[in-house]
Amino acid sequence: MRPRCTPTGNGAGAPLFPGLGLLRTRGLDAVAIEIATRHHVDLAQLLGRCRTKSVAAARAELYQRLRDHGLSLPEIGTLTDRDPTTVLAGLRRREQRGRLRFETEDAEDLA
C-alpha cells in the first residue's frame, strides 16, 4: 500500500511551499485554500508533490482557476513549482474528464 502523501521538511527551516507565499502576494491564496477545503485535501498536498487522484484533481482545478484569473502557464508553473507543460497537461486532463462526464450524462438521458 502506498503511503499517504505528506510534506517533508528540508531541515534548513525554509518554507516547504514557497508558492503559497507567491500566491499570497498575488492575492490568490484564498483560491488555493478554498479548493483544498472543497476537495478535502491539505494545502500542503495541493502545493506539494502528492500524485494521488484526488489531489491531482484538486491541483488541476487550481490551475484552471489561476488561468481564469489571467495567469499564463509559466506564471502558474512558478506559483505551483511545476513546469508549464505539467500545468498544460493538468488542464487538458481536467477538460477531458469534463467531456467524458457530459457524454456519460447524455448517454444516460437517451436510455
Side-chain angles (χ1 to χ4, degrees):
M1 180 151 103
R2 184 184 285 176
R4 181 184 164 131
C5 299
T6 55
T8 57
N10 61 9
L16 290 173
F17 307 104
L20 183 59
L22 293 171
L23 285 168
R24 190 169 290 132
T25 61
R26 307 270 314 245
L28 297 170
D29 57 326
V31 173
I33 292 167
E34 184 252 318
I35 291 169
T37 302
R38 189 171 59 254
H39 285 269
H40 305 289
V41 299
D42 296 332
L43 192 57
Q45 292 173 322
L46 182 65
L47 297 174
R49 292 290 168 200
C50 186
R51 294 178 4 171
T52 63
K53 192 173 186 176
S54 60
V55 174
R59 193 175 293 129
E61 182 179 344
L62 177 63
Y63 297 157
Q64 184 62 57
R65 295 277 300 275
L66 294 175
R67 192 81 165 134
D68 292 345
H69 276 84
L71 276 67
S72 67
L73 295 177
E75 288 172 321
I76 296 170
T78 299
L79 292 173
T80 58
D81 194 27
R82 300 290 191 285
D83 187 88
T85 58
T86 301
V87 175
L88 181 60
L91 289 169
R92 286 180 176 165
R93 268 192 311 276
R94 179 175 164 79
E95 181 181 320
Q96 183 66 25
R97 269 187 244 124
R99 264 195 240 129
L100 289 174
R101 184 173 57 244
F102 289 126
E103 289 172 6
T104 303
E105 289 172 359
D106 289 344
E108 290 172 357
D109 290 343
L110 294 175

